[in-house]
Amino acid sequence: MFCFTLQKIEEVKDKPLKELDLLRASIEEAVCRRIETPKDFRFLTEQIYGQTREVISPTTLKRLWGYLSEEVIPHRSTLSILAHFAGYASWDDFCEQLSRMAGELNEQPLMVEAVVGSEMGRGERLDVRWLPDSHLSLVCRGNGRFEVMESHHSLLARGDSMRLGLVFRGKPLYATHIHSVNVAHPSMIIAPRTGVEVYVRRE
């Protein structure tokens, strides 16, 4: 087992900024916390090793998260370990999923800018998607309460329920009164800000 290092930016011409931002967001969602402090980076190193049996040092993670101000980008092997930790087969698989999801979002005609949960009628469907390829399909049960009908790359599962207030495109999805076997906290951000899109289906 060994620690992966970083290449100097002069050695690599195509820095995948957008994809790297989304990968960081996916990893933070997977561990249910923001990665901001030295303690967080040590925690993440341990989590990555526990799941993948690969080592990425806290220093490397600090550079990836911009905690250390150095112009560097990761090796592809490092990106693949991080993508694997986030639930993808490899870095290439992560990028492919990202491209596919972005294409689907661009083709979706029912996008809305904002939704007030309490104003949705019983039985109306609310779809929330965020990059790279996470998706929640919710059905309104009345009075701002929603039940999960479908879930992909999300902490929530089918049958979970929650209350939603204001849901904005491009803003984090914040839920309260969460009932889920996978989520310990009754209130939390379900979807990060990155790439959030909102759709309403009135059936």
Side-chain angles (χ1 to χ4, degrees):
M1 205 63 60
F2 58 97
C3 292
F4 290 96
T5 60
L6 296 166
Q7 286 179 286
K8 291 297 180 182
I9 193 168
E10 292 80 9
E11 300 174 7
V12 182
K13 294 181 180 179
D14 53 338
K15 186 175 182 180
L17 277 176
K18 181 179 179 182
E19 290 84 355
L20 200 54
D21 289 340
L22 294 170
L23 182 59
R24 284 192 293 258
S26 295
I27 289 171
E28 290 183 351
E29 182 183 1
V31 297
C32 302
R33 67 194 282 179
R34 296 291 302 273
I35 306 300
E36 299 176 321
T37 68
K39 182 178 179 181
D40 293 330
F41 293 111
R42 291 193 297 270
F43 164 81
L44 185 55
T45 289
E46 294 171 358
Q47 292 295 305
I48 291 171
Y49 179 76
Q51 182 170 315
T52 69
R53 286 297 184 263
E54 300 281 4
V55 176
I56 301 178
S57 71
T59 300
T60 295
L61 293 173
K62 287 176 183 178
R63 293 181 181 128
L64 279 168
W65 260 257
Y67 188 84
L68 299 178
S69 56
E70 299 180 18
E71 290 189 342
V72 291
I73 65 171
H75 284 293
R76 181 172 292 272
S77 55
T78 303
L79 292 171
S80 285
I81 293 171
L82 292 171
H84 185 208
F85 177 74
Y88 301 87
S90 64
W91 170 247
D92 289 338
D93 178 51
F94 176 82
C95 292
E96 288 173 7
Q97 296 280 7
L98 175 62
S99 297
R100 181 183 62 79
M101 183 63 180
E104 289 180 0
L105 292 179
N106 289 336
E107 295 172 0
Q108 175 58 257
L110 301 177
M111 187 188 305
V112 295
E113 294 295 328
V115 169
V116 181
S118 61
E119 293 182 358
M120 290 188 65
R122 186 182 298 270
E124 287 188 317
R125 297 286 291 269
L126 178 66
D127 289 343
V128 181
R129 302 185 179 201
W130 59 101
L131 297 172
D133 69 336
S134 297
H135 172 225
L136 277 176
S137 181
L138 311 172
V139 62
C140 182
R141 297 307 187 192
N143 298 318
R145 185 115 199 135
F146 291 81
E147 180 181 343
V148 178
M149 304 303 292
E150 298 177 24
S151 176
H152 182 68
H153 282 166
S154 165
L155 294 174
L156 298 176
R158 180 181 175 87
D160 291 348
S161 63
M162 74 203 82
R163 288 189 184 276
L164 297 177
L166 291 172
V167 181
F168 291 99
R169 178 187 176 195
K171 300 292 185 181
L173 175 63
Y174 185 76
T176 63
H177 299 83
I178 299 171
H179 291 278
S180 170
V181 295
N182 298 324
V183 178
H185 299 286
S187 302
M188 66 177 296
I189 294 175
I190 301 301
R193 178 175 68 254
T194 310
V196 171
E197 304 288 3
V198 182
Y199 309 90
V200 174
R201 286 188 286 158
R202 292 179 168 86
E203 302 175 345

